[in-house]
Amino acid sequence: MSKHFLQMIATILCALLLGGCGAADQGTISMDQYPVAVPRTEEESEEEADEEPLTDVTGMREELYVVVSIDTEERLIRLALPDSLRTVQYGYTRGTQILDDHGQFMSAARLAPGRVVTISELDDQAQLTMIQLAGDAWYQENITRFSIDDSLGMLVIGDTKYRYDKFLRVFSGDQEISLEQVSENDVISVQGVDKQILSVQVTTGHGTIALEHTELFEGGWISLGTKIYAKITPDMTLEVPEGVYELSVANDGYGDTKTVAVERSQVTTVDLDEYRGEGPKTCLVTFEIHVADALLYIDGEPVDYEEPVELRYGVYRLTVIADGFETWERQLVIHSQDATIQIGEPQLSEETEEAVESVSEETTGSSSASASDTAAAADSEAASGGESGTSSEDVTNSSTESYNDYLDTITDLVQSLVGLENE
């Protein structure tokens, strides 16, 4: 080859190379941008070891997820698939649309653990553009009547049976718990699809009251509010719904009433030495019996109730007998300086009278048992509740069940001393 030919080839190659390295605006090569990785501590890495990588977003619009947690400060939401024990975590922004099941905007605070959602594809910053409460999932709240059969994987709400599997998510507040920690005295919310339950949320939980220094009061009675009664046994414990109670104890001339707060999943210790006070104490009880010639018995002994009766703090069996009336019996807990007990026909308000008439139009007589806020009369069924002191019907947060309980109570009072006169 000639020297000139080689020089020409070299010139052409150089031109080609220069063309390939030309101005940037002639052929830009771009890459997708991803959030800069933030270094994780060893503890955080272990916590997220079970989380799936955010790589495959195909079909997310149709998939259902259960909210496990949401961090509104860091704008992170952690989700679980209904058929997996693993979780995924996504970020969201101020621009992310958060919608209810009707497509209306709502706050992120409503995305509580246990809610079932669908999500959209990610934006170019790998953030969610939309989170919506699942329209295909039903939601029931304020459930008080339910039972759990773990051997069958069945949860019965009212009279309806639902199934659940090992992937069921259960929450108490912001904490994930096991189904075994749910008490049938709790109030729950449930979300599911068809007959399959996907999540359970405890909205009103239970705690435990543990009594110590019970010696003086053993054999006496403890009451919490107006519905929970139990006979005191050595170092007893009571499982009760969370809340604030007026706790009263009484036995053999000693007793007192104090306010206690029961927190969810916590043990509240009550020292009964603090309820001892100076004793023995007595209560002046006024009986107002609105039945002619009725006989009053306390612990089987006849009592003249024309004047107030002095009784030591404690628990008594109250019996009223009158011709033509059914015998009326109640458990009476005395733990105050004075009290008034009405039996027969009390002064009812118009609303109460209407309720009584609607419950039993055929009733020909009426009765009641009431006391001041420092004394309590409980029927024999509630008072004989044993160490648990409660039944499945003792506590409810449902307005319907509360109203039914109220009517049942009115019915019991009306029919306990009815003047059937041997019809």
Side-chain angles (χ1 to χ4, degrees), residues 221-235:
W221 288 78
I222 179 174
S223 64
L224 286 89
T226 59
K227 285 194 172 183
I228 302 175
Y229 293 83
K231 195 170 186 177
I232 298 175
T233 58
D235 301 317

Side-chain angles (χ1 to χ4, degrees), residues 84-105:
S84 173
L85 293 176
R86 303 180 69 186
T87 62
V88 294
Q89 183 170 280
Y90 295 96
Y92 65 95
T93 68
R94 291 182 181 275
T96 300
Q97 297 183 47
I98 300 178
L99 309 174
D100 64 16
D101 52 345
H102 299 294
Q104 302 298 315
F105 287 101

Side-chain angles (χ1 to χ4, degrees), residues 381-408:
E381 289 79 11
S384 61
E387 289 188 10
S388 66
T390 63
S391 69
S392 61
E393 298 177 354
D394 278 339
V395 180
T396 175
N397 281 11
S398 166
S399 60
T400 301
E401 292 189 19
S402 295
Y403 181 67
N404 289 338
D405 281 351
Y406 168 74
L407 292 183
D408 290 343

Side-chain angles (χ1 to χ4, degrees), residues 303-357:
V303 174
D304 180 4
Y305 55 87
E306 293 298 325
E307 298 293 333
V309 179
E310 187 175 36
L311 297 173
R312 293 176 65 169
Y313 280 25
V315 181
Y316 299 88
R317 190 68 181 174
L318 199 62
T319 306
V320 178
I321 299 175
D323 291 338
F325 291 82
E326 293 181 355
T327 299
W328 186 91
E329 290 187 307
R330 287 295 184 272
Q331 199 78 250
L332 179 64
V333 181
I334 295 295
H335 48 73
S336 66
Q337 293 182 349
D338 57 77
T340 299
I341 309 296
Q342 292 190 357
I343 303 170
E345 299 180 1
Q347 298 299 317
L348 300 179
S349 65
E350 292 183 1
E351 292 182 358
T352 307
E353 288 175 338
E354 291 175 0
V356 171
E357 290 173 0

Side-chain angles (χ1 to χ4, degrees), residues 185-200:
N185 288 326
D186 292 342
V187 180
I188 63 174
S189 296
V190 172
Q191 192 147 18
V193 175
D194 297 327
K195 292 293 184 177
Q196 180 76 24
I197 292 179
L198 305 182
S199 69
V200 175

Side-chain angles (χ1 to χ4, degrees), residues 43-63:
E43 182 179 354
E44 289 173 330
S45 298
E46 291 177 355
E47 290 177 352
E48 296 182 8
D50 290 335
E51 295 184 0
E52 295 177 351
L54 310 181
T55 54
D56 184 9
V57 298
T58 305
M60 281 187 179
R61 290 183 182 275
E62 304 300 327
E63 194 110 50

